[in-house]
Amino acid sequence: MRKVLRTSAIAGVVAVCGLLGTQAASATPPVATPEPGGVIRMDPVPGEWWNCAGWSLRPPFIGSDPVTGLSEGRPLYLHFAPGADVWMFCTGASWPFSYWGPIVKAGE
């Protein structure tokens, strides 16, 4: 039992040391831009996949892009009441996996 624990501990240390030298992929969070009519456009960096939504205190209280699963290479459009304050949040396919963005005022 002691030999198994020692071997596991050494293997774990070697794995951690190997991971310390690698660089992790880092995603760039999408940029929110208000547009006329209560629309918020989320522009992801080309080649990155993001799923974005927003919360508001005015109806509709939550909104996301209708075809959000197909977000790679195209902007996401979220529809809210014009002038509403919307708290943006996104999930992505690489680090950081979750992005809690700014509060954006939906376009007038």
Side-chain angles (χ1 to χ4, degrees):
M1 180 70 170
R2 197 174 254 187
K3 186 174 181 178
V4 171
L5 287 175
R6 184 175 354 139
T7 304
S8 298
I10 292 171
V13 169
V14 169
V16 168
C17 289
L19 289 175
L20 289 176
T22 61
Q23 293 183 349
S26 180
T28 304
V31 177
T33 307
E35 291 192 345
V39 175
I40 298 174
R41 185 181 78 229
M42 301 294 289
D43 293 313
V45 174
E48 294 184 3
W49 179 89
W50 286 96
N51 176 9
C52 295
W55 287 332
S56 174
L57 295 177
R58 293 172 54 187
F61 300 108
I62 189 164
S64 65
D65 190 284
V67 286
T68 193
L70 306 172
S71 68
E72 184 177 356
R74 70 169 191 83
L76 302 168
Y77 293 95
L78 311 176
H79 300 274
F80 289 92
D85 291 323
V86 181
W87 186 29
M88 308 306 302
F89 61 94
C90 301
T91 55
S94 60
W95 185 261
F97 297 108
S98 294
Y99 169 69
W100 295 91
I103 295 175
V104 178
K105 185 171 286 294
E108 295 289 337

Coordinates of all heavy atoms in Angstrom, one line a residue:
M1 N 0.8 -1.2 0.0 CA 0.0 0.0 0.0 C 0.9 1.3 0.0 O 0.6 2.2 -0.7 CB -0.9 0.0 1.2 CG -1.8 1.1 1.3 SD -3.1 1.1 0.1 CE -4.1 2.3 0.6
R2 N 1.9 1.2 0.8 CA 2.8 2.4 0.9 C 3.5 2.6 -0.4 O 3.7 3.8 -0.9 CB 3.8 2.1 2.0 CG 4.5 3.3 2.5 CD 5.4 3.0 3.6 NE 4.7 3.5 4.8 CZ 5.3 3.6 6.0 NH1 6.5 3.0 6.2 NH2 4.7 4.1 7.0
K3 N 3.9 1.6 -1.1 CA 4.6 1.7 -2.4 C 3.6 2.3 -3.5 O 4.0 3.2 -4.3 CB 5.0 0.3 -2.9 CG 5.9 0.4 -4.1 CD 6.4 -1.0 -4.5 CE 7.3 -0.9 -5.7 NZ 7.9 -2.1 -6.1
V4 N 2.3 1.9 -3.4 CA 1.3 2.5 -4.4 C 1.1 4.0 -4.1 O 1.1 4.8 -5.0 CB 0.0 1.7 -4.2 CG1 -1.1 2.4 -5.0 CG2 0.2 0.3 -4.7
L5 N 1.1 4.4 -2.8 CA 0.9 5.8 -2.5 C 2.1 6.6 -2.9 O 1.9 7.7 -3.5 CB 0.6 5.9 -1.0 CG -0.7 5.5 -0.5 CD1 -0.8 5.6 1.0 CD2 -1.8 6.3 -1.1
R6 N 3.3 6.1 -2.7 CA 4.5 6.8 -3.1 C 4.6 6.9 -4.6 O 4.9 8.0 -5.1 CB 5.8 6.1 -2.6 CG 7.0 6.8 -2.9 CD 8.3 6.2 -2.3 NE 8.1 5.1 -1.4 CZ 8.8 4.0 -1.4 NH1 9.8 3.9 -2.2 NH2 8.6 3.0 -0.6
T7 N 4.3 5.9 -5.3 CA 4.3 5.9 -6.8 C 3.2 6.9 -7.3 O 3.5 7.7 -8.2 CB 4.0 4.5 -7.4 OG1 5.0 3.6 -6.9 CG2 4.1 4.6 -8.9
S8 N 2.1 6.9 -6.7 CA 1.0 7.9 -7.1 C 1.4 9.3 -6.8 O 1.2 10.2 -7.6 CB -0.3 7.6 -6.4 OG -0.7 6.3 -6.7
A9 N 2.1 9.6 -5.7 CA 2.5 10.9 -5.3 C 3.6 11.4 -6.3 O 3.6 12.6 -6.7 CB 3.0 10.9 -3.9
I10 N 4.5 10.5 -6.6 CA 5.6 10.9 -7.6 C 5.0 11.2 -8.9 O 5.4 12.2 -9.6 CB 6.7 9.8 -7.6 CG1 7.4 9.8 -6.3 CG2 7.6 10.1 -8.8 CD1 8.4 8.6 -6.1
A11 N 4.1 10.4 -9.4 CA 3.5 10.6 -10.7 C 2.7 11.9 -10.7 O 2.7 12.6 -11.7 CB 2.5 9.4 -11.0
G12 N 2.0 12.2 -9.6 CA 1.3 13.5 -9.5 C 2.2 14.7 -9.6 O 1.9 15.7 -10.2
V13 N 3.3 14.6 -8.9 CA 4.3 15.7 -8.9 C 4.9 15.9 -10.3 O 5.0 17.0 -10.8 CB 5.4 15.5 -7.8 CG1 6.5 16.5 -8.0 CG2 4.8 15.6 -6.4
V14 N 5.2 14.8 -10.9 CA 5.7 14.9 -12.3 C 4.7 15.5 -13.2 O 5.0 16.4 -14.1 CB 6.2 13.5 -12.8 CG1 6.5 13.5 -14.3 CG2 7.4 13.1 -12.0
A15 N 3.4 15.1 -13.1 CA 2.4 15.7 -14.0 C 2.2 17.2 -13.7 O 2.0 17.9 -14.7 CB 1.0 14.9 -13.7
V16 N 2.2 17.6 -12.5 CA 2.0 19.0 -12.2 C 3.2 19.8 -12.7 O 3.0 20.9 -13.3 CB 1.9 19.2 -10.6 CG1 2.0 20.7 -10.3 CG2 0.5 18.7 -10.2
C17 N 4.4 19.3 -12.6 CA 5.6 20.0 -13.1 C 5.5 20.1 -14.6 O 5.9 21.1 -15.2 CB 6.9 19.3 -12.7 SG 7.2 19.5 -10.9
G18 N 5.0 19.1 -15.3 CA 4.8 19.1 -16.7 C 3.8 20.2 -17.1 O 3.9 20.9 -18.1
L19 N 2.7 20.3 -16.3 CA 1.7 21.3 -16.7 C 2.1 22.7 -16.4 O 1.6 23.6 -17.0 CB 0.4 20.9 -15.9 CG -0.4 19.7 -16.3 CD1 -1.5 19.4 -15.4 CD2 -0.8 19.8 -17.7
L20 N 3.0 22.9 -15.5 CA 3.4 24.3 -15.2 C 4.1 24.9 -16.3 O 4.1 26.2 -16.5 CB 4.3 24.3 -13.9 CG 3.7 24.0 -12.6 CD1 4.7 23.9 -11.5 CD2 2.6 25.0 -12.3
G21 N 4.8 24.2 -17.2 CA 5.5 24.7 -18.3 C 4.6 25.0 -19.5 O 5.0 25.6 -20.5
T22 N 3.4 24.5 -19.5 CA 2.5 24.6 -20.7 C 1.8 25.9 -20.6 O 1.5 26.4 -19.5 CB 1.5 23.5 -20.8 OG1 0.7 23.4 -19.7 CG2 2.3 22.1 -21.0
Q23 N 1.4 26.5 -21.8 CA 0.6 27.7 -21.8 C -0.8 27.3 -22.1 O -1.1 26.5 -22.9 CB 1.1 28.6 -22.9 CG 2.4 29.2 -22.6 CD 2.9 30.1 -23.7 OE1 2.3 30.2 -24.7 NE2 3.9 30.9 -23.4
A24 N -1.7 27.8 -21.3 CA -3.2 27.5 -21.4 C -3.8 28.4 -22.5 O -3.4 29.6 -22.6 CB -3.9 27.7 -20.1
A25 N -4.7 27.9 -23.2 CA -5.4 28.7 -24.2 C -6.3 29.8 -23.4 O -6.9 29.5 -22.4 CB -6.3 27.9 -25.0
S26 N -6.3 31.0 -23.9 CA -7.0 32.0 -23.3 C -8.0 32.7 -24.3 O -7.6 33.1 -25.3 CB -6.1 33.1 -22.7 OG -6.8 34.1 -22.1
A27 N -9.2 32.7 -23.9 CA -10.2 33.3 -24.8 C -10.4 34.8 -24.5 O -10.2 35.2 -23.3 CB -11.6 32.6 -24.6
T28 N -10.9 35.5 -25.4 CA -11.2 36.9 -25.3 C -12.7 37.1 -25.2 O -13.4 36.7 -26.1 CB -10.6 37.7 -26.5 OG1 -9.3 37.5 -26.6 CG2 -10.9 39.2 -26.3
P29 N -13.2 37.6 -24.1 CA -14.6 37.8 -23.9 C -15.2 38.6 -25.1 O -14.6 39.6 -25.6 CB -14.8 38.5 -22.6 CG -13.5 38.2 -21.9 CD -12.5 38.1 -22.9
P30 N -16.5 38.4 -25.5 CA -17.1 39.2 -26.5 C -17.3 40.6 -26.1 O -17.4 40.9 -24.9 CB -18.5 38.5 -26.7 CG -18.3 37.2 -26.1 CD -17.3 37.3 -25.0
V31 N -17.4 41.5 -27.1 CA -17.6 42.9 -26.8 C -19.1 43.2 -27.0 O -19.7 42.9 -28.1 CB -16.8 43.8 -27.7 CG1 -17.0 45.2 -27.6 CG2 -15.3 43.4 -27.5
A32 N -19.7 43.9 -26.0 CA -21.2 44.2 -26.1 C -21.3 45.6 -26.7 O -20.6 46.6 -26.3 CB -21.8 44.2 -24.7
T33 N -22.2 45.8 -27.7 CA -22.5 47.1 -28.4 C -24.0 47.3 -28.5 O -24.7 46.5 -29.1 CB -21.9 47.1 -29.8 OG1 -20.5 46.7 -29.7 CG2 -22.0 48.4 -30.4
P34 N -24.5 48.4 -27.8 CA -25.9 48.6 -28.0 C -26.3 49.1 -29.4 O -25.5 49.8 -30.0 CB -26.2 49.8 -27.0 CG -24.9 49.9 -26.2 CD -23.8 49.3 -26.9
E35 N -27.4 48.6 -29.9 CA -27.9 49.0 -31.2 C -29.3 49.5 -31.0 O -30.0 49.2 -30.1 CB -27.8 47.9 -32.2 CG -26.4 47.5 -32.5 CD -26.3 46.5 -33.7 OE1 -27.3 45.9 -34.1 OE2 -25.2 46.4 -34.3
P36 N -29.9 50.3 -32.0 CA -31.2 50.8 -31.9 C -32.3 49.7 -31.7 O -32.1 48.6 -32.2 CB -31.4 51.5 -33.2 CG -30.1 51.8 -33.7 CD -29.2 50.7 -33.2
G37 N -33.3 50.0 -31.0 CA -34.5 49.1 -30.9 C -34.3 48.1 -29.7 O -35.0 47.1 -29.7
G38 N -33.5 48.4 -28.8 CA -33.3 47.5 -27.6 C -32.4 46.3 -27.9 O -32.4 45.3 -27.2
V39 N -31.6 46.3 -29.0 CA -30.8 45.2 -29.3 C -29.4 45.5 -28.8 O -28.9 46.6 -28.7 CB -30.7 45.1 -30.9 CG1 -29.7 44.1 -31.3 CG2 -32.0 44.8 -31.5
I40 N -28.8 44.4 -28.3 CA -27.4 44.4 -27.8 C -26.7 43.4 -28.7 O -27.0 42.2 -28.8 CB -27.2 44.0 -26.3 CG1 -27.9 45.1 -25.5 CG2 -25.7 43.9 -26.0 CD1 -28.0 44.7 -24.0
R41 N -25.6 43.8 -29.4 CA -24.8 42.9 -30.3 C -23.6 42.5 -29.5 O -22.9 43.3 -29.0 CB -24.5 43.7 -31.6 CG -23.7 42.7 -32.5 CD -23.3 43.4 -33.8 NE -22.1 44.2 -33.5 CZ -22.0 45.5 -33.9 NH1 -22.9 46.2 -34.5 NH2 -20.9 46.1 -33.6
M42 N -23.3 41.2 -29.5 CA -22.1 40.7 -28.8 C -21.2 40.2 -29.9 O -21.6 39.3 -30.7 CB -22.5 39.5 -27.9 CG -23.5 39.8 -26.8 SD -22.8 41.0 -25.6 CE -21.6 39.9 -24.8
D43 N -20.0 40.8 -30.0 CA -19.1 40.4 -31.1 C -17.9 39.6 -30.5 O -17.0 40.1 -29.9 CB -18.5 41.7 -31.7 CG -19.5 42.5 -32.4 OD1 -20.2 41.9 -33.2 OD2 -19.6 43.7 -32.2
P44 N -18.0 38.2 -30.7 CA -16.9 37.4 -30.3 C -15.7 37.5 -31.2 O -15.8 37.9 -32.4 CB -17.5 36.0 -30.3 CG -18.6 36.0 -31.2 CD -19.1 37.5 -31.3
V45 N -14.5 37.2 -30.7 CA -13.3 37.2 -31.6 C -13.4 36.0 -32.6 O -13.9 34.9 -32.2 CB -12.1 37.0 -30.7 CG1 -10.8 36.8 -31.5 CG2 -11.9 38.1 -29.7
P46 N -13.1 36.2 -33.8 CA -13.1 35.2 -34.8 C -12.4 33.9 -34.4 O -11.3 34.0 -33.8 CB -12.5 35.7 -36.1 CG -12.6 37.2 -35.9 CD -12.6 37.5 -34.4
G47 N -13.1 32.8 -34.6 CA -12.5 31.5 -34.2 C -12.8 31.0 -32.8 O -12.5 29.9 -32.4
E48 N -13.5 31.9 -32.0 CA -13.9 31.5 -30.6 C -15.4 31.3 -30.6 O -16.1 31.9 -31.2 CB -13.5 32.6 -29.6 CG -12.0 32.7 -29.5 CD -11.6 33.7 -28.4 OE1 -12.5 34.2 -27.7 OE2 -10.4 33.9 -28.3
W49 N -15.8 30.3 -29.7 CA -17.2 30.0 -29.5 C -17.7 30.5 -28.2 O -17.0 30.3 -27.2 CB -17.4 28.5 -29.6 CG -18.8 28.1 -29.4 CD1 -19.7 27.9 -30.4 CD2 -19.4 27.8 -28.1 NE1 -20.9 27.5 -29.8 CE2 -20.8 27.4 -28.5 CE3 -19.0 27.8 -26.8 CZ2 -21.7 27.1 -27.5 CZ3 -19.9 27.4 -25.8 CH2 -21.2 27.1 -26.2
W50 N -18.7 31.3 -28.2 CA -19.4 31.8 -27.0 C -20.9 31.7 -27.0 O -21.5 31.7 -28.1 CB -19.0 33.3 -26.9 CG -17.6 33.6 -26.5 CD1 -16.6 33.9 -27.3 CD2 -17.1 33.6 -25.2 NE1 -15.4 34.1 -26.6 CE2 -15.7 33.9 -25.3 CE3 -17.6 33.4 -23.9 CZ2 -14.9 34.0 -24.1 CZ3 -16.8 33.4 -22.8 CH2 -15.5 33.7 -22.9
N51 N -21.4 31.5 -25.9 CA -22.9 31.4 -25.7 C -23.2 32.5 -24.7 O -22.8 32.5 -23.5 CB -23.2 30.0 -25.1 CG -24.7 29.9 -24.8 OD1 -25.5 30.8 -25.1 ND2 -25.1 28.9 -24.1
C52 N -23.9 33.6 -25.1 CA -24.1 34.7 -24.3 C -25.6 35.0 -24.0 O -26.5 34.6 -24.8 CB -23.6 36.0 -24.9 SG -21.8 36.0 -25.1
A53 N -25.9 35.6 -22.9 CA -27.3 35.9 -22.5 C -27.2 37.2 -21.6 O -26.1 37.6 -21.3 CB -27.9 34.8 -21.8
G54 N -28.3 37.7 -21.3 CA -28.4 38.8 -20.4 C -29.6 38.8 -19.5 O -30.6 38.2 -19.8
W55 N -29.5 39.5 -18.3 CA -30.6 39.6 -17.4 C -30.9 41.1 -17.3 O -30.1 42.0 -17.2 CB -30.2 39.1 -16.0 CG -30.0 37.7 -15.9 CD1 -30.7 36.7 -16.6 CD2 -29.2 37.0 -15.0 NE1 -30.4 35.5 -16.1 CE2 -29.4 35.6 -15.2 CE3 -28.3 37.3 -14.0 CZ2 -28.7 34.6 -14.5 CZ3 -27.6 36.4 -13.3 CH2 -27.8 35.0 -13.5
S56 N -32.2 41.4 -17.2 CA -32.7 42.7 -17.0 C -33.8 42.8 -16.0 O -34.4 41.8 -15.7 CB -33.2 43.2 -18.4 OG -33.8 44.5 -18.3
L57 N -34.0 44.0 -15.4 CA -35.1 44.1 -14.5 C -36.4 44.5 -15.2 O -37.4 44.7 -14.5 CB -34.7 45.2 -13.4 CG -33.6 44.7 -12.5 CD1 -33.2 45.9 -11.5 CD2 -33.9 43.5 -11.7
R58 N -36.4 44.7 -16.5 CA -37.5 45.1 -17.3 C -37.8 43.9 -18.2 O -36.9 43.3 -18.7 CB -37.3 46.3 -18.1 CG -37.2 47.6 -17.2 CD -36.7 48.8 -17.9 NE -37.5 49.2 -19.0 CZ -37.2 50.2 -19.9 NH1 -36.1 50.9 -19.7 NH2 -38.0 50.4 -20.9
P59 N -39.1 43.6 -18.5 CA -39.4 42.5 -19.5 C -38.9 42.8 -20.9 O -38.9 43.9 -21.3 CB -40.9 42.5 -19.5 CG -41.4 43.5 -18.5 CD -40.3 44.3 -18.0
P60 N -38.4 41.8 -21.5 CA -38.2 40.4 -21.1 C -37.0 40.4 -20.1 O -36.0 41.0 -20.4 CB -37.8 39.7 -22.4 CG -37.3 40.7 -23.3 CD -37.9 42.0 -22.9
F61 N -37.1 39.6 -19.1 CA -36.1 39.6 -18.0 C -34.9 38.9 -18.3 O -33.8 39.2 -17.8 CB -36.8 39.0 -16.7 CG -38.0 39.8 -16.3 CD1 -39.2 39.3 -16.4 CD2 -37.8 41.0 -15.7 CE1 -40.4 40.0 -16.0 CE2 -38.9 41.8 -15.3 CZ -40.2 41.2 -15.4
I62 N -34.9 38.0 -19.2 CA -33.7 37.2 -19.7 C -33.8 37.1 -21.2 O -34.9 36.9 -21.8 CB -33.6 35.9 -19.0 CG1 -32.2 35.3 -19.3 CG2 -34.7 34.9 -19.3 CD1 -31.8 34.1 -18.3
G63 N -32.7 37.2 -21.8 CA -32.6 37.0 -23.3 C -31.3 36.4 -23.7 O -30.3 36.6 -23.1
S64 N -31.4 35.7 -24.8 CA -30.3 35.1 -25.4 C -30.5 35.0 -27.0 O -31.6 35.2 -27.4 CB -29.9 33.7 -24.9 OG -31.0 32.8 -25.2
D65 N -29.4 34.8 -27.7 CA -29.5 34.7 -29.1 C -30.3 33.4 -29.5 O -30.0 32.4 -28.9 CB -28.1 34.7 -29.7 CG -28.2 34.8 -31.2 OD1 -28.5 33.8 -31.9 OD2 -27.8 35.9 -31.7
P66 N -31.3 33.5 -30.4 CA -32.1 32.3 -30.8 C -31.2 31.1 -31.3 O -31.6 30.0 -31.1 CB -33.1 32.8 -31.8 CG -32.9 34.2 -31.9 CD -31.7 34.7 -31.1
V67 N -30.1 31.4 -32.0 CA -29.3 30.4 -32.6 C -27.9 30.4 -31.9 O -26.9 30.4 -32.6 CB -29.2 30.5 -34.1 CG1 -30.5 30.0 -34.8 CG2 -28.8 31.8 -34.6
T68 N -27.9 30.5 -30.6 CA -26.7 30.8 -29.9 C -25.7 29.6 -30.0 O -24.5 29.8 -29.9 CB -27.0 31.1 -28.4 OG1 -25.8 31.6 -27.8 CG2 -27.4 29.8 -27.7
G69 N -26.1 28.4 -30.3 CA -25.2 27.3 -30.5 C -24.4 27.4 -31.7 O -23.4 26.7 -31.9
L70 N -24.7 28.3 -32.6 CA -24.0 28.5 -33.9 C -23.2 29.8 -33.8 O -23.1 30.5 -34.8 CB -25.0 28.5 -35.0 CG -25.9 27.3 -35.1 CD1 -26.9 27.5 -36.2 CD2 -25.1 26.0 -35.4
S71 N -22.7 30.2 -32.7 CA -22.1 31.5 -32.5 C -20.7 31.7 -33.0 O -20.3 32.8 -33.1 CB -22.2 31.9 -31.0 OG -21.3 31.1 -30.3
E72 N -20.1 30.7 -33.5 CA -18.7 30.9 -33.9 C -18.7 31.6 -35.3 O -19.4 31.2 -36.2 CB -18.0 29.5 -34.1 CG -16.5 29.7 -34.5 CD -15.8 28.4 -34.6 OE1 -16.4 27.3 -34.3 OE2 -14.6 28.4 -35.0
G73 N -17.9 32.7 -35.3 CA -17.8 33.5 -36.6 C -18.9 34.4 -36.9 O -18.9 35.0 -38.0
R74 N -19.8 34.7 -36.0 CA -20.9 35.6 -36.2 C -21.3 36.3 -34.9 O -21.1 35.8 -33.8 CB -22.1 35.0 -36.8 CG -22.9 34.1 -35.9 CD -24.2 33.6 -36.5 NE -25.0 33.0 -35.4 CZ -25.8 33.7 -34.6 NH1 -25.8 35.0 -34.5 NH2 -26.5 33.0 -33.7
P75 N -21.8 37.6 -35.0 CA -22.2 38.3 -33.8 C -23.5 37.6 -33.2 O -24.3 37.0 -33.9 CB -22.5 39.7 -34.2 CG -22.6 39.6 -35.7 CD -21.9 38.4 -36.2
L76 N -23.7 37.8 -31.9 CA -24.9 37.4 -31.2 C -25.8 38.6 -31.0 O -25.3 39.7 -30.6 CB -24.5 36.7 -29.9 CG -23.6 35.5 -29.9 CD1 -23.1 35.2 -28.5 CD2 -24.3 34.4 -30.5
Y77 N -27.1 38.4 -31.2 CA -28.0 39.5 -31.0 C -29.0 39.2 -29.9 O -29.7 38.2 -29.9 CB -28.8 39.8 -32.3 CG -27.9 40.3 -33.4 CD1 -27.3 39.5 -34.3 CD2 -27.6 41.7 -33.4 CE1 -26.5 40.0 -35.3 CE2 -26.7 42.2 -34.4 CZ -26.2 41.3 -35.4 OH -25.4 41.8 -36.4
L78 N -29.0 40.1 -28.8 CA -29.9 39.9 -27.7 C -30.9 41.0 -27.8 O -30.6 42.2 -28.0 CB -29.1 40.0 -26.4 CG -27.9 39.1 -26.3 CD1 -27.1 39.3 -25.0 CD2 -28.2 37.6 -26.5
H79 N -32.2 40.7 -27.6 CA -33.3 41.7 -27.7 C -33.9 42.0 -26.3 O -34.3 41.0 -25.6 CB -34.4 41.2 -28.6 CG -33.8 40.9 -30.0 ND1 -33.8 41.9 -30.9 CD2 -33.3 39.8 -30.6 CE1 -33.2 41.4 -32.0 NE2 -33.0 40.1 -31.8
F80 N -33.9 43.3 -25.9 CA -34.5 43.7 -24.6 C -35.3 44.9 -24.9 O -35.4 45.5 -26.0 CB -33.4 44.0 -23.6 CG -32.7 42.8 -23.1 CD1 -31.5 42.3 -23.8 CD2 -33.2 42.0 -22.1 CE1 -30.9 41.2 -23.3 CE2 -32.5 40.9 -21.6 CZ -31.4 40.4 -22.3
A81 N -36.0 45.4 -23.8 CA -36.7 46.7 -23.9 C -35.7 47.8 -24.1 O -34.7 47.8 -23.5 CB -37.5 46.9 -22.6
P82 N -36.1 48.7 -25.0 CA -35.1 49.9 -25.3 C -34.8 50.6 -24.0 O -35.7 50.9 -23.2 CB -35.9 50.7 -26.3 CG -36.8 49.8 -27.0 CD -37.2 48.8 -25.9
G83 N -33.6 50.9 -23.8 CA -33.1 51.7 -22.6 C -33.0 50.8 -21.3 O -32.6 51.3 -20.3
A84 N -33.2 49.5 -21.4 CA -33.1 48.7 -20.2 C -31.6 48.4 -19.9 O -30.8 48.3 -20.7 CB -33.8 47.3 -20.4
D85 N -31.3 48.4 -18.6 CA -30.0 48.0 -18.1 C -29.9 46.5 -18.1 O -30.7 45.8 -17.4 CB -29.7 48.6 -16.7 CG -29.6 50.1 -16.7 OD1 -29.0 50.6 -17.7 OD2 -30.0 50.7 -15.8
V86 N -28.9 45.9 -18.8 CA -28.8 44.5 -19.0 C -27.5 44.0 -18.5 O -26.4 44.6 -18.9 CB -29.0 44.1 -20.5 CG1 -28.9 42.6 -20.6 CG2 -30.3 44.6 -21.0
W87 N -27.5 43.0 -17.6 CA -26.2 42.4 -17.1 C -25.9 41.3 -18.0 O -26.6 40.3 -18.1 CB -26.4 42.0 -15.6 CG -25.1 41.5 -15.0 CD1 -23.9 41.9 -15.3 CD2 -25.0 40.5 -14.0 NE1 -23.0 41.2 -14.5 CE2 -23.7 40.4 -13.7 CE3 -26.0 39.8 -13.3 CZ2 -23.2 39.5 -12.7 CZ3 -25.5 38.9 -12.3 CH2 -24.1 38.8 -12.0
M88 N -24.7 41.4 -18.7 CA -24.3 40.4 -19.6 C -23.5 39.2 -19.0 O -22.7 39.5 -18.1 CB -23.4 41.0 -20.7 CG -24.0 42.3 -21.4 SD -25.7 42.0 -22.0 CE -25.4 40.7 -23.2
F89 N -23.7 38.0 -19.5 CA -22.9 36.9 -19.0 C -22.7 35.9 -20.2 O -23.6 35.8 -21.0 CB -23.4 36.2 -17.8 CG -24.8 35.6 -18.0 CD1 -25.0 34.3 -18.4 CD2 -25.9 36.4 -17.8 CE1 -26.2 33.7 -18.5 CE2 -27.2 35.8 -18.0 CZ -27.3 34.5 -18.4
C90 N -21.6 35.3 -20.3 CA -21.3 34.4 -21.4 C -20.5 33.2 -20.9 O -19.8 33.2 -19.8 CB -20.4 35.1 -22.4 SG -21.0 36.6 -23.1
T91 N -20.7 32.1 -21.6 CA -19.9 30.9 -21.4 C -19.2 30.5 -22.7 O -19.7 30.7 -23.7 CB -20.7 29.7 -20.9 OG1 -21.8 29.5 -21.9 CG2 -21.4 29.9 -19.5
G92 N -17.9 30.1 -22.5 CA -17.1 29.8 -23.7 C -16.5 28.4 -23.7 O -16.8 27.6 -22.8
A93 N -15.8 28.1 -24.8 CA -15.2 26.8 -24.9 C -13.7 26.7 -24.4 O -13.2 25.6 -24.4 CB -15.2 26.4 -26.4
S94 N -13.1 27.8 -24.0 CA -11.8 27.8 -23.4 C -11.7 28.8 -22.3 O -12.6 29.6 -22.1 CB -10.7 28.1 -24.5 OG -11.0 29.4 -25.1
W95 N -10.6 28.8 -21.6 CA -10.4 29.6 -20.4 C -10.5 31.1 -20.7 O -9.8 31.5 -21.7 CB -9.1 29.3 -19.7 CG -8.9 30.0 -18.4 CD1 -8.2 31.1 -18.3 CD2 -9.4 29.6 -17.2 NE1 -8.2 31.5 -17.0 CE2 -9.0 30.6 -16.3 CE3 -10.3 28.6 -16.7 CZ2 -9.4 30.6 -14.9 CZ3 -10.6 28.6 -15.4 CH2 -10.2 29.6 -14.5
P96 N -11.2 31.9 -20.1 CA -12.1 31.7 -19.0 C -13.4 31.1 -19.5 O -14.0 31.6 -20.5 CB -12.3 33.0 -18.3 CG -12.2 34.0 -19.5 CD -11.1 33.4 -20.4
F97 N -13.9 30.0 -18.9 CA -15.1 29.4 -19.4 C -16.4 30.2 -19.1 O -17.3 30.2 -19.8 CB -15.3 28.0 -18.7 CG -14.2 27.1 -19.1 CD1 -13.2 26.7 -18.2 CD2 -14.1 26.6 -20.4 CE1 -12.2 25.9 -18.6 CE2 -13.0 25.7 -20.8 CZ -12.1 25.4 -19.8
S98 N -16.4 31.0 -18.0 CA -17.5 31.9 -17.7 C -17.0 33.3 -17.7 O -15.9 33.6 -17.1 CB -18.1 31.5 -16.3 OG -18.7 30.2 -16.4
Y99 N -17.8 34.2 -18.2 CA -17.5 35.6 -18.2 C -18.7 36.4 -17.8 O -19.8 36.3 -18.4 CB -17.1 36.1 -19.6 CG -17.0 37.5 -19.8 CD1 -16.0 38.3 -19.2 CD2 -17.9 38.2 -20.6 CE1 -15.9 39.6 -19.3 CE2 -17.8 39.6 -20.7 CZ -16.8 40.3 -20.1 OH -16.7 41.7 -20.2
W100 N -18.6 37.1 -16.7 CA -19.7 37.9 -16.2 C -19.3 39.3 -16.6 O -18.5 39.9 -16.0 CB -19.8 37.8 -14.7 CG -20.2 36.4 -14.3 CD1 -19.4 35.3 -14.0 CD2 -21.5 35.9 -14.2 NE1 -20.1 34.2 -13.8 CE2 -21.4 34.5 -13.9 CE3 -22.8 36.4 -14.4 CZ2 -22.5 33.7 -13.8 CZ3 -23.9 35.6 -14.3 CH2 -23.8 34.2 -14.0
G101 N -20.0 39.8 -17.6 CA -19.6 41.1 -18.2 C -20.3 42.3 -17.5 O -20.8 42.2 -16.4
P102 N -20.2 43.4 -18.2 CA -20.7 44.6 -17.7 C -22.2 44.8 -17.8 O -22.9 43.9 -18.4 CB -20.0 45.7 -18.6 CG -19.9 45.0 -19.9 CD -19.6 43.5 -19.6
I103 N -22.7 45.8 -17.2 CA -24.1 46.2 -17.3 C -24.2 47.1 -18.5 O -23.5 48.1 -18.5 CB -24.7 46.8 -16.0 CG1 -24.7 45.8 -14.9 CG2 -26.1 47.3 -16.3 CD1 -25.1 46.3 -13.6
V104 N -24.9 46.7 -19.5 CA -25.0 47.5 -20.8 C -26.4 48.0 -20.9 O -27.4 47.3 -20.6 CB -24.7 46.6 -22.0 CG1 -24.8 47.3 -23.3 CG2 -23.3 46.0 -21.8
K105 N -26.6 49.3 -21.3 CA -27.9 49.9 -21.6 C -28.3 49.5 -23.0 O -27.6 49.8 -24.0 CB -27.9 51.4 -21.4 CG -29.3 52.0 -21.5 CD -29.2 53.4 -21.1 CE -29.1 53.7 -19.7 NZ -30.3 53.3 -18.8
A106 N -29.4 48.8 -23.1 CA -29.9 48.4 -24.4 C -30.2 49.6 -25.3 O -30.6 50.7 -24.8 CB -31.2 47.6 -24.3
G107 N -30.0 49.5 -26.6 CA -30.1 50.7 -27.5 C -31.5 51.3 -27.5 O -32.5 50.6 -27.3
E108 N -31.6 52.6 -27.6 CA -32.9 53.3 -27.6 C -33.5 53.2 -29.0 O -32.9 53.1 -30.0 CB -32.6 54.8 -27.3 CG -32.1 55.0 -25.9 CD -33.1 54.8 -24.8 OE1 -34.3 54.8 -25.1 OE2 -32.7 54.5 -23.7

